[in-house]
Amino acid sequence: MSSRRGALVALAGLALLMTPRLAPGQRLPTTEILVEAVGGAPGSLEASGLEVVENGAVRAVTSVETLTDPWRVVLYFDLLLLEPPVYRSAVLDLAEQATNLTALGTVEIVLAGEALTVTLPPTRDPNALDQALRWLLVRQTSEGAQLATRDQLVSEQLLDRDPVEPDSPLAAERMTELGAAMRAAIADEAEALTRQRGHLLSWLSDQDQPGPKALVMVSSGFDEQPADFYSALVDNSPWRQAGLGLPQPEISPSFDQLAQALAIYDWTVIAYAPPNRGDGLLAEDPAGDADEETAQVEQTSQGGRLVDRTIVSVDPKKVVDRLRRRGRLEAAYVARLLTPHAPLEELAVATGGRVLADRQELEPALGALADRRRVRFESGPSDAAGPRSIEVRRSSGGAAQLRARRWAGDWTPEVISAQRARSYLSDAVGEGEIYVSAAVGGGTSAGDGTLVLEVDTESLQSTGSQPLRVTIAVANDEGEPPVFHRVVDLGDAEASVNDAARFEMPLPLPEQGEPIVVVFVEELASGRWGGTFASFSVSDADLGRSTDIGSMILPAPKAIHLMAPQEAMVMGPTRFETVVSASTVTRVRFLLDGRQFAEVGAPPFSATADLGKLPETHRIEAIAFGRDGEELSRDRLTVNAGMGAFRVRIARPEPTDLQSGTPTVGPVEVEATIETPRGSEIDRVEFYWKENLVATRFAPPFVHRVTVPTEDPSGFVRVLGYLEDGATAEDVVFVNSQGSTERVDVDLVELYVVVTDRQGRPVLGLTQEDFQVLEEGVEQELADFGDASDRPLTVGLAIDSSASMFVKLPDVQDAAANFVRNLRTRRDRAFVVGFGSEPRLARDTTSDMPDVLDGLYRLRPEGQTAIWKAVVYSLVQLQGAGGKKALIVFSDGADEDQDFSYRTALEFARRVGAPIYFIVSNDEIYRTAGKSLSVRGFLGRLRKLTSEVGGRVFLTKVTDDLEEIYSDIEEELRSQYLVS
C-alpha cells in the first residue's frame, strides 16, 4: 500500500506529533508574546503604552518584562529550493556570526532536502558551530529545484529551437509541445513546494518546548504560484497564443496556514535570503559570446577505484542573455523568479520576524532578538477549532513600529491535523493513543457515503462532554486527497456501547477510482489523537445503522506484547519475554508452532522454548488470561522467518469455535492474521460472506464482524489479502456447513529444475513427458509444469569480506553489481550478506536494485572467514520465500569456520531447498584443481552441499574476470523448469 499512497501524497515521511499547550481542561488567563520595538529603544515598551487587539477586540496588557530566557535558534537550510551559490554565501555569512548566534542561546542546524537531517545538535559552543558550518560548505550542496526546472524548460523549449513563423504548422506543433512541457514543469514545481512546506511542518511542529524560539530560514526565495512565471514567459514573447491551458495548482498546506501554525507555536522566523553573488540573471554579460556550458571534472570513488566524472551544467545567465539577443524574451521577464521574497515576507510578518537580504543585516537582527520584551495580556474566549488573530500596537498611536506574532491558539491548528491524516496514507505515523474504528457504507458514487465512527472513551483523558476534532482524508488514484474537518462532542454521540461513542456523518466520495479513507480523531482538551483506515461495507444495513453497534470492531489495545529475540537467527533454548500492559492479566500461556510449551502464572511472564539445532522458521504465541479464565489478548511473532512468505490465516473464529449444537447466526467476529514477505506491503484485505464482499480494510487490525443471515446460515467466511505487486493469499472457514469443524491445509510442492548437457550448458525445450518425480520411491502426479524463465527470482549475494579480501573485494563488488543490474526491477528481489568473522545483513531483501548496489559497495574487509555460518545466515533470509530463489556465495577459500558446523549448514540447506552457487577465487586451489591436501576437504564439502540442493562450484584464479561466472549463473537461473 505504501507506494500507492506515496503516489497520492507527496508529503511522505511526516511525523507530526503535536503536543497540547494546556493541561487537560486548563485555560490560561493570559497569553504572552514577544515584541520588538523597531526604530525605538526596547525600554520604551511599557504596559501602559501598549494594547493588543485579539480577534478585533482590544485586550488589556498586564505586564512587559525583559527577556532573560536563552533562545533556541535553529539554522534551517531549505536545500530543496535554495540555489547553490546562495547556499554557499549563506553558510559563510552565518559562520561569521557564530559568536553572536551562540550568545543568544543554543544553536542547531537542520537540513531540509529529500529528508530532514539534524547535522548539529543544540550547542552553545561558537567553535563547534563554526566548524559544523564550514563542514557543510565542503560536504553538502543544495538543489534549487524550482530554478532548475525553469532553466531546463527555457533551455530545451526556447534556446535550443530555431525561430519559426507564428502562423506556420510547425508553430502550432511547437506550441502544443511547449504547453505540455510547461504543465509538467508546473506539476514538478508544485510537488517541490509541497515537500518544502511539509518538511517545515514536520520538523517545527514537533519542537514545542517552552521559551523563545527563532527559526533562521536560509532561502534564496521562491515563487509561491509556479504558473505565474510560465504564463508571463509565454504572454510576453513571440509565442503569444491562447489555449495552453496552464493550471494553477492548489498547494497544500497554503502559505497562510503554514505561517499561522508557526506563529501559534511561538516560532519567530528570520528569513535569510542573501543575493546570488555571481549568477544573477539581470546582470549584463560583457562577454556576450561566452560559452553556454561549463564543465567540471570531479573524481569519485567507485568500488575502491577513482573514476573521473565530467559534469556539464547550463549557465542560466548566458541562456537568458542569448534569448534576449535573439529577441525571443523581453527584458522584463528574464528574471527566473518573479516575487522570490514575498512568501518569506508572509512567514516573517505572521511570526513577528523579518527578511534579511544582506550579510550586513545579520548582526543587528540577532541583537534585536536579544532585546525583545515579553508582553502578557488578558485573553478573551477561545474558539476551540480556530486560531486567534493578534495585533500589538501603541495605545498612543506612536510612530515606532512593533514586531510580534500575529496569531495565537490553544489547540492544534487544523493544518496539522490535515497533515497527520495525509501522512497516515504513506505509513508515516502510528495509530496514536486514542482507539478509533471507522466504516464507510452507502455505495461508492460521489456524495452518497456515510461514515460511522466509534471512539473508545476509555482511551480519552477527558470525561463527560468534551470536543473532538474529526479529520477525514479521502484519496483515490488521482490528485491530492481532499481533507474534511468536523468538531463533535462526546455528549452528542448517537450511541454509546461498551465504552465506545458512536457518530455518523455524511461523507463525499470521489466519482472514480477506489477510495481510501483515513480518519483521525483528536481530543482538543489534551492534544491526544488516534487514527485508522476506514473499512468499506457494501450496504448501510451492514453498518448496523440503527442499534447494532456490534457491526463495527473497535481495535482495543493489546494486553500483551511478545518481544522478539535480538539475534538474527535463533536456535536451541531461547528465552521469550513479554510486556504486559493490563493489570488484569493473571497467567500467560506460551505456544510453539501451535503447541503449548509453558504456562506462567506470575510476572515476569516469560518462558524458554527449545527451537532445535537448526534455525528453522517457528511461530511463537503468547495468550494472556484474566482472573476468570477469559482470554484477554494474544500476540504472535515468527522467528527465523527470513524474507518470509505471504500468508493469510483466519485467527477467529477457529473451526472449534463453531462446534456448538446450535447454528451460528448474527454477527461473527472475524480476525485475520497476515504474514508478508519482508520488503512487501499490504495493499488491502477483503472480507467475504460466501462470494459477497462485505468489507475492505487497508491496515491492521484486520478485524470485521460478518453477519451470518438467520434465513440462510450455511456458508463460509473468506478473507482475501492483496500485496502491492498483485500477489494474493486467502483463507476460508466454513460456518454451519459440512467440514466447518475442520481446517484442511494442502501443500503444493514446487521444484525448480535445471537440465544441463555434458558441457554444463542448460538444455531448453523439454516437455512434461520428459520429467518424472519420485517421493520416497513413489512416483508423484505432476500438478503443473512449465518454463520458469520469466518467473520472479529472489537471490542472495553472500560476499566474503574477511581481511584476506582486501585487494580482491573491489573486483568482486563490480562483478556482483553487474549481476544485480541485470535483475528485473520490481519483479526480482535480492539481498546482500557480508561475512568476515560474523555474517551481517548489508542490505535487506528488496526489489530496489540501487539499494542493493549501495549495500554491496558498503562492504569492508575485516576478520576471518565464517563461511558455514554465513551460508546458514543467508539461507535464513531465503527461508519462506516463494518462487525461484538461489544463493550465490563468493569466497577466497583462505579459511573456514572452526566454531560452526558444516553438518548444520548441510542439513539446513536441505531443509530450505534453494540452489547454492559457490565461487572460490584462490590461485592455489585453481592450480591444483582442489586436489592439494590443505583444500581437498574444503572443496569436497562444497561439492557435497551443491549436489544435495542444486547449484555449482566455480574455481577461479584471483586475476580472472568474475563477470563471466556471474553471467553463467544468471543464464542457468533463467533456464529453469517448474515442476509442481
Side-chain angles (χ1 to χ4, degrees):
M1 189 89 190
S2 62
S3 64
R4 182 172 165 205
R5 296 176 205 150
L8 295 170
V9 188
L11 303 175
L14 305 184
L16 305 175
L17 309 179
M18 297 295 295
T19 52
R21 308 177 61 76
L22 301 175
Q26 181 184 2
R27 175 89 172 101
L28 288 178
T30 62
T31 298
E32 63 178 44
I33 56 176
L34 300 179
V35 179
E36 175 187 334
V38 181
S44 65
L45 297 177
E46 298 179 355
S48 59
L50 296 177
E51 62 183 18
V52 176
V53 180
E54 180 189 50
N55 282 348
V58 177
R59 308 294 183 195
V61 173
T62 58
S63 67
V64 177
E65 301 173 357
T66 300
L67 185 64
T68 58
D69 301 338
W71 282 80
R72 179 189 175 194
V73 181
V74 174
L75 305 184
Y76 186 92
F77 289 85
D78 176 18
L79 299 182
L80 201 60
L81 299 180
L82 184 58
E83 282 188 279
V86 176
Y87 165 77
R88 292 190 290 272
S89 297
V91 168
L92 290 173
D93 296 344
L94 290 170
E96 292 175 359
Q97 296 296 324
T99 300
N100 292 325
L101 285 165
T102 52
L104 287 170
T106 62
V107 184
E108 56 202 280
I109 300 176
V110 177
L111 305 181
E114 288 298 320
L116 282 172
T117 307
V118 180
T119 62
L120 179 68
T123 182
R124 297 203 69 167
D125 183 350
N127 292 326
L129 176 59
D130 179 78
Q131 290 176 11
L133 286 167
R134 295 185 188 279
W135 181 88
L136 288 181
L137 195 64
V138 177
R139 299 297 181 91
Q140 184 66 54
T141 187
S142 60
E143 296 182 45
Q146 188 174 61
L147 292 174
T149 300
R150 297 182 179 186
D151 291 342
Q152 181 178 1
L153 181 134
V154 169
S155 177
E156 293 179 355
Q157 296 295 326
L158 299 177
L159 176 64
D160 296 335
R161 299 294 184 92
D162 293 327
V164 297
E165 292 296 328
D167 298 329
S168 68
L170 183 58
E173 180 182 330
R174 190 80 61 83
M175 276 303 294
T176 301
E177 186 179 341
L178 179 63
M182 285 186 169
R183 286 189 290 275
I186 290 170
D188 288 345
E189 286 193 31
E191 181 180 351
L193 291 168
T194 301
R195 276 189 292 152
Q196 175 222 27
R197 298 175 194 183
H199 283 329
L200 190 53
L201 276 177
S202 68
W203 169 250
L204 294 173
S205 63
D206 197 27
Q207 312 295 321
D208 191 34
Q209 297 89 347
K213 301 185 291 292
L215 171 70
V216 179
M217 184 176 182
V218 183
S219 174
S220 50
F222 52 91
D223 285 338
E224 191 173 352
Q225 179 47 258
D228 294 343
F229 169 81
Y230 296 99
S231 297
L233 193 65
V234 174
D235 292 342
N236 293 275
S237 74
W239 298 94
R240 294 185 186 91
Q241 296 193 22
L244 280 183
L246 298 184
Q248 293 270 347
E250 183 179 342
I251 301 169
S252 182
S254 70
F255 226 65
D256 249 358
Q257 293 172 319
L258 183 62
Q260 282 186 12
L262 290 168
I264 288 171
Y265 286 91
D266 293 336
W267 285 92
T268 301
V269 176
I270 305 297
Y272 185 44
N276 185 330
R277 300 167 191 156
D279 293 343
L281 286 181
L282 294 179
E284 292 295 333
D285 182 9
D289 56 353
D291 292 336
E292 296 173 36
E293 297 182 339
T294 60
Q296 174 187 1
V297 177
E298 172 183 280
Q299 282 193 323
T300 60
S301 177
Q302 295 181 2
R305 290 176 280 181
L306 286 178
V307 178
D308 286 343
R309 182 162 62 101
T310 301
I311 305 170
V312 179
S313 59
V314 175
D315 183 339
K317 173 181 177 297
K318 296 171 185 175
V319 169
V320 173
D321 280 339
R322 285 194 59 186
L323 289 172
R324 181 191 297 164
R325 289 197 302 273
R326 293 183 183 181
R328 291 167 62 188
L329 280 179
E330 294 184 6
Y333 292 96
V334 297
R336 292 177 293 164
L337 293 174
L338 301 180
T339 56
H341 288 182
L344 302 179
E345 289 282 359
E346 194 173 339
L347 281 184
V349 169
T351 62
R354 58 198 292 191
V355 177
L356 309 178
D358 190 85
R359 65 169 76 119
Q360 305 301 326
E361 301 176 21
L362 268 173
E363 187 170 347
L366 297 177
L369 282 178
D371 290 335
R372 292 206 171 195
R373 297 292 189 262
R374 179 182 281 115
V375 174
R376 289 190 173 94
F377 64 93
E378 294 178 351
S379 191
S382 171
D383 176 6
R388 308 190 304 275
S389 65
I390 293 175
E391 182 186 358
V392 185
R393 63 192 185 192
R394 296 185 184 273
S395 53
S396 61
Q401 180 186 354
L402 302 177
R403 287 196 181 103
R405 61 187 173 106
R406 298 294 182 90
W407 301 94
D410 300 324
W411 319 107
T412 303
E414 281 189 351
V415 64
I416 303 298
S417 300
Q419 203 79 333
R420 284 203 196 105
R422 292 191 177 110
S423 300
Y424 200 88
L425 286 164
S426 56
D427 304 323
V429 294
E431 294 187 356
E433 301 165 295
I434 298 176
Y435 300 103
V436 181
S437 184
V440 177
T444 56
S445 60
D448 67 352
T450 299
L451 176 73
V452 179
L453 169 69
E454 287 184 356
V455 180
D456 178 16
T457 54
E458 286 195 339
S459 64
L460 301 174
Q461 280 193 358
S462 309
T463 58
S465 180
Q466 291 292 338
L468 304 173
R469 178 190 288 149
V470 180
T471 301
I472 307 163
V474 181
N476 59 0
D477 290 331
E478 298 294 336
E480 187 77 5
V483 175
F484 310 94
H485 301 280
R486 179 176 174 181
V487 176
V488 299
D489 197 287
L490 281 178
D492 298 330
E494 278 83 358
S496 181
V497 178
N498 298 328
D499 298 316
R502 185 183 191 217
F503 303 89
E504 290 186 20
M505 55 194 74
L507 178 65
L509 294 172
E511 296 182 5
Q512 297 179 346
E514 179 186 334
I516 301 171
V517 176
V518 166
V519 181
F520 258 72
V521 175
E522 181 181 10
E523 186 180 28
L524 290 177
S526 70
R528 292 160 61 90
W529 57 270
T532 187
F533 286 93
S535 297
F536 275 80
S537 297
V538 293
S539 66
D540 289 345
D542 191 53
L543 285 173
R545 295 191 57 187
S546 54
T547 59
D548 182 17
I549 198 169
S551 63
M552 304 277 290
I553 288 296
L554 190 66
K558 283 188 175 181
I560 189 168
H561 292 265
L562 260 173
M563 305 299 290
Q566 293 184 351
E567 296 82 4
M569 59 180 187
V570 289
M571 301 175 284
T574 303
R575 192 73 174 169
F576 292 95
E577 299 180 347
T578 65
V579 175
V580 173
S581 56
S583 59
T584 52
V585 174
T586 59
R587 61 188 173 93
V588 175
R589 181 178 300 160
F590 292 86
L591 307 180
L592 172 62
D593 298 330
R595 295 185 178 182
Q596 180 177 334
F597 68 88
E599 186 160 300
V600 182
F605 295 105
S606 58
T608 299
D610 188 353
L611 303 183
K613 64 179 182 179
L614 299 177
E616 296 181 275
T617 302
H618 294 287
R619 185 177 182 181
I620 312 298
E621 192 167 2
I623 307 173
F625 295 94
R627 295 182 180 87
D628 298 328
E630 77 280 12
E631 180 182 325
L632 300 178
S633 179
R634 65 174 64 197
D635 196 18
R636 307 172 180 87
L637 66 87
T638 303
V639 296
N640 299 326
M643 177 184 172
F646 183 30
R647 295 188 180 93
V648 172
R649 187 171 183 86
I650 297 176
R652 288 183 296 168
E654 287 280 4
T656 53
D657 298 335
L658 307 172
Q659 288 182 348
S660 62
T662 57
T664 300
V665 294
V668 173
E669 189 173 287
V670 180
E671 177 185 1
T673 59
I674 314 293
E675 295 180 21
T676 60
R678 196 164 55 214
S680 298
E681 296 288 342
I682 295 175
D683 183 75
R684 66 188 186 278
V685 174
E686 297 176 343
F687 292 78
Y688 290 82
W689 168 249
K690 298 183 181 178
E691 296 301 327
N692 298 319
L693 175 66
V694 295
T696 304
R697 291 193 71 86
F698 299 95
F702 297 109
V703 179
H704 192 75
R705 280 187 179 170
V706 176
T707 301
V708 178
T710 305
E711 62 278 7
D712 184 18
S714 297
F716 54 90
V717 172
R718 175 172 168 247
V719 177
L720 177 62
Y722 291 85
L723 294 182
E724 284 185 325
D725 61 9
T728 62
E730 65 179 306
D731 194 15
V732 173
V733 169
F734 291 93
V735 181
N736 304 318
S737 304
Q738 183 177 0
S740 61
T741 61
E742 299 179 359
R743 185 190 292 271
V744 179
D745 293 323
V746 178
D747 287 333
L748 182 68
V749 179
E750 293 185 341
L751 302 177
Y752 288 88
V753 181
V754 176
V755 181
T756 60
D757 59 20
R758 292 179 179 177
Q759 285 73 42
R761 294 171 300 197
V763 177
L764 305 178
L766 300 179
T767 65
Q768 180 171 334
E769 287 69 29
D770 296 316
F771 289 83
Q772 184 183 36
V773 177
L774 303 179
E775 184 177 17
E776 300 291 343
V778 180
E779 184 174 354
Q780 301 296 311
E781 179 184 354
L782 299 187
D784 192 16
F785 174 85
D787 179 2
S789 61
D790 200 39
R791 297 216 172 196
L793 169 67
T794 302
V795 61
L797 298 170
I799 307 293
D800 185 344
S801 54
S802 60
S804 60
M805 288 288 296
F806 182 80
V807 175
K808 293 173 273 191
L809 187 56
D811 289 332
V812 178
Q813 290 169 317
D814 287 344
N818 283 332
F819 174 85
V820 169
R821 293 186 184 100
N822 288 329
L823 295 176
R824 298 168 186 175
T825 303
R826 295 193 61 80
R827 297 197 60 195
D828 296 336
R829 296 174 179 271
F831 64 87
V832 179
V833 169
F835 61 95
S837 299
E838 288 288 331
R840 66 178 184 85
L841 192 61
R843 189 61 72 223
D844 206 346
T845 307
T846 179
S847 59
D848 185 347
M849 296 311 160
D851 210 27
V852 176
L853 294 175
D854 180 67
L856 191 61
Y857 280 112
R858 286 179 182 271
L859 297 178
R860 295 294 180 266
E862 59 182 352
Q864 300 296 309
T865 309
I867 187 169
W868 304 126
K869 192 171 186 179
V871 167
V872 173
Y873 181 85
S874 301
L875 290 174
V876 166
Q877 314 310 314
L878 282 175
Q879 192 167 224
K884 295 199 305 183
K885 53 191 173 185
L887 175 63
I888 304 174
V889 183
F890 179 93
S891 176
D892 63 2
D895 45 41
E896 54 180 309
D897 346 19
Q898 301 300 319
D899 59 349
F900 198 90
S901 168
Y902 160 73
R903 292 188 177 276
T904 300
L906 176 62
E907 187 174 347
F908 190 59
R910 289 169 175 160
R911 297 286 183 92
V912 176
I916 304 176
Y917 295 85
F918 288 99
I919 306 173
V920 181
S921 177
N922 184 294
D923 286 346
E924 181 187 353
I925 295 177
Y926 184 83
R927 180 178 54 81
T928 64
K931 295 179 182 179
S932 67
L933 291 176
S934 60
V935 298
R936 187 183 303 170
F938 175 63
L939 262 294
R941 288 186 282 275
L942 294 182
R943 287 168 175 153
K944 169 67 174 175
L945 201 155
T946 57
S947 69
E948 293 278 344
V949 299
R952 297 167 66 183
V953 177
F954 296 87
L955 302 181
T956 177
K957 293 185 294 186
V958 172
T959 56
D960 281 352
D961 186 358
L962 298 174
E963 290 189 12
E964 185 176 346
I965 294 176
Y966 278 99
S967 179
D968 289 345
I969 295 173
E970 181 194 6
E971 181 185 4
E972 189 164 303
L973 292 174
R974 299 293 185 196
S975 304
Q976 292 177 330
Y977 297 94
L978 172 61
V979 180
S980 303

